Amino acid sequence: MHELSIAEAIVERAAETARLHGGGRVTAVRVTVGELAGVVPDALRFSFEVARVGTALEAARLVVRDVPARARCAPCGGEFAVGSPPSMWCPRCDELSRELLGGRELEVTAIELEEASG
């Protein structure tokens, strides 16, 4: 399950960000996961719960925004859902699309911090 290594990297990055910003507690981490990223969002959530134990993110939430895979057809200009498993054939004109608009994302988009008490 590679989601655990991804979750561990998220926890490490968020903890480092908290240290750089005065050591405040991390309250939430927001991530974007594309449909074609090869990551199962529920497995990532579970792995985050495991990876955060004993860290500065002990009480942090993982907020996952799922991004559907979408493509654009060059011949007709139509946009369509690619799905999973992916199909790059345009449902409007039955041509093969080569332009993927989204769905491969896997990124931390925000780390929410509580101010450190001092």
Side-chain angles (χ1 to χ4, degrees), residues 19 21 49 57 100:
R19 283 191 299 277
H21 291 280
E49 297 292 321
L57 283 83
L100 189 62

Side-chain angles (χ1 to χ4, degrees), residues 72-80 90-95:
R72 178 181 297 120
C73 177
C76 75
E79 291 184 14
F80 58 95
C90 178
R92 201 157 113 193
C93 71
D94 201 32
E95 291 291 327

Side-chain angles (χ1 to χ4, degrees), residues 40-78:
V40 177
D42 285 340
L44 182 60
R45 287 181 189 95
F46 175 80
S47 296
F48 181 82
E49 297 292 321
V50 172
R52 72 182 185 159
V53 173
T55 73
L57 283 83
E58 186 90 40
R61 297 176 299 120
L62 182 68
V63 180
V64 177
R65 182 174 74 90
D66 298 316
V67 177
R70 302 223 19 105
R72 178 181 297 120
C73 177
C76 75

Side-chain angles (χ1 to χ4, degrees), residues 86-103:
S87 172
M88 296 296 287
W89 290 97
C90 178
R92 201 157 113 193
C93 71
D94 201 32
E95 291 291 327
L96 180 62
S97 174
R98 293 185 181 10
E99 184 180 2
L100 189 62
L101 299 174

